[in-house]
Amino acid sequence: MARPSLREKLASSAVETLHSFGFRGCSIQDITEAAGVPKGSFFNHFENKEDLAIDALRRYVENARVDLLFDKAVPPLERLKNHFNFLCGRLGQLGFERGCMLGLIASEMSKEYPRMREELRLVFDNWCGAVEQVLREAQDAGEIDPRHDPAQLARYLINAWEGATVRLRITRDRSPLDDFFNTSFKILLK
């Protein structure tokens, strides 16, 4: 039976390595070296690199603080802003050199890896659903125009966020995220 500590080392290392270099930019050898485990132990824990990438994606999403969207003690738009501020802070800790891992993996794997494409679809659907719920609450609270379609607006916000995180990989600063915040919260959701 596989030792959980070795699997945990591989999985934790994969989040960092895949986020830094992408799926195609790193090998199983790179991941096992970063984890400090023998390469041969990889296949005791994961069937292939795609399985590990799916596990890494799930771990990345678990740390996205989606829970901030559901804190009913905070007004809806403030919750939404808090969530994106958290994500912005996480990118800032990385020096604005990496975008969102979701977009990175989607751009590399969605065509040739149907299991990953389905995983990404579920992640984006769930994220959009959570944002849509907050936007509906914001409408009910009179914070945003009730004529907006919250589902479409949620998808737009997620798409705009992902685009901003792609752009920051080029600018290497937070200016694309500032554009996202200014346009989203000062113009669109005002």
Side-chain angles (χ1 to χ4, degrees):
M1 177 166 256
R3 292 186 347 213
S5 61
L6 224 55
R7 180 182 172 85
E8 184 60 33
K9 284 182 180 180
L10 283 166
S12 296
S13 173
V15 173
E16 178 67 24
T17 307
L18 290 168
H19 195 197
S20 294
F21 303 107
F23 185 79
R24 290 193 175 101
C26 67
S27 64
I28 291 173
Q29 177 84 29
D30 295 327
I31 294 167
T32 56
E33 283 179 6
V37 302
K39 183 178 179 181
S41 66
F42 176 88
F43 293 102
N44 293 330
H45 302 279
F46 298 96
E47 188 175 321
N48 54 44
K49 190 175 164 188
E50 181 185 18
D51 285 342
L52 178 61
I54 288 171
D55 185 274
L57 182 71
R58 289 175 180 161
R59 289 167 182 266
Y60 179 81
V61 170
E62 285 173 7
N63 292 315
R65 295 294 316 269
V66 176
D67 62 299
L68 292 170
L69 295 171
F70 303 108
D71 182 358
K72 301 289 186 175
V74 178
L77 282 184
E78 190 176 334
R79 283 187 264 152
L80 188 60
K81 195 170 187 179
N82 289 345
H83 171 65
F84 284 113
N85 272 323
F86 170 79
L87 297 176
C88 181
R90 187 163 72 167
L91 293 169
Q93 290 173 344
L94 301 169
F96 299 107
E97 293 182 0
R98 298 183 206 168
C100 176
M101 187 172 164
L102 298 175
L104 176 63
I105 295 294
S107 68
E108 288 190 301
M109 296 184 68
S110 63
K111 184 175 180 184
E112 294 100 6
Y113 297 91
R115 285 181 42 239
M116 178 57 88
R117 182 174 51 252
E118 179 61 16
E119 187 72 27
L120 286 161
R121 187 191 63 73
L122 290 171
V123 166
F124 278 111
D125 285 352
N126 290 335
W127 191 12
C128 287
V131 170
E132 177 185 350
Q133 180 180 333
V134 173
L135 293 171
R136 285 188 190 285
E137 292 173 24
Q139 284 178 327
D140 292 344
E143 291 184 325
I144 63 171
D145 190 330
R147 295 174 295 179
H148 291 311
D149 175 354
Q152 184 179 42
L153 192 53
R155 290 189 305 272
Y156 174 82
L157 289 171
I158 300 302
N159 293 341
W161 175 261
E162 287 298 316
T165 66
V166 167
R167 182 87 186 263
L168 73 78
R169 295 182 74 184
I170 298 163
T171 63
R172 305 281 180 164
D173 63 29
R174 66 170 287 135
S175 63
L177 302 180
D178 290 338
D179 291 342
F180 169 83
F181 279 101
N182 289 331
T183 303
S184 298
F185 292 98
K186 292 181 179 175
I187 298 170
L188 188 60
L189 298 174
K190 105 181 197 178

